[in-house]
Structures are given as C-alpha cells and as structure tokens.
Amino acid sequence: MRRWFKRSSKTECDLMRGELSAYLDNELDPDERMRVESHIQSCQPCREEYESLMKTSKLLQRLPDVKLRRSF
C-alpha cells in the first residue's frame, strides 16, 4: 500500500523570514509591516535573523562604489 504524505505547511517563522528583506527595504504595505514587526518582537530567532540581515546590509552600504572599465 502506498502512503501519501502531505507536505507540512510553512510555519509562521518561515513566512516571516521570507518577508524580512522586504521589511528592511520598506517594501511592505502598512499591515504587512505591522505583522512582521509584531512577530520579530515576540520571536527571538526571527529577530536575530533580522538583526543579522540589517548588519549585513549596513556593511554592504559602506563598501565603496567600484568603477568598471568600459571594456567590461
């Protein structure tokens, strides 16, 4: 007999982690933004993920612009 397993649906944390970049870039509508803010305030792993993403973004912004050769 063949068993069929239902894929487990994504958790709230999985969904939030997918929104963190858009949240950081201010690309969410107000309702989505509030939902993410509420979640990262109450969920330490997601908050740590957000803080890490924010630090990485700030480090990347500090890098100098690189001028490419015209032949590139």
Side-chain angles (χ1 to χ4, degrees):
M1 181 172 158
R2 189 174 215 180
R3 290 186 179 181
W4 294 95
F5 294 98
K6 183 179 177 183
R7 281 185 150 180
S8 61
S9 58
K10 289 189 174 186
T11 67
E12 181 73 12
C13 290
D14 293 333
L15 297 172
M16 286 299 126
R17 287 187 183 120
E19 299 290 324
L20 290 178
S21 182
Y23 175 77
L24 184 63
D25 294 336
N26 294 312
E27 296 176 346
L28 299 177
D29 67 41
D31 289 337
E32 292 171 322
R33 190 162 183 78
M34 283 181 27
R35 187 172 51 89
V36 172
E37 286 174 356
S38 175
H39 183 81
I40 61 177
Q41 287 176 2
S42 63
C43 179
Q44 183 175 351
C46 289
R47 184 173 49 254
E48 289 172 357
E49 178 99 11
Y50 170 70
E51 289 170 356
S52 175
L53 185 61
M54 188 171 50
K55 288 176 185 177
T56 301
S57 177
K58 286 181 180 184
L59 285 172
L60 290 172
Q61 289 172 4
R62 292 175 42 195
L63 290 174
D65 289 335
V66 176
K67 305 255 185 203
L68 298 177
R69 294 181 188 166
R70 187 176 179 134
S71 62
F72 183 74

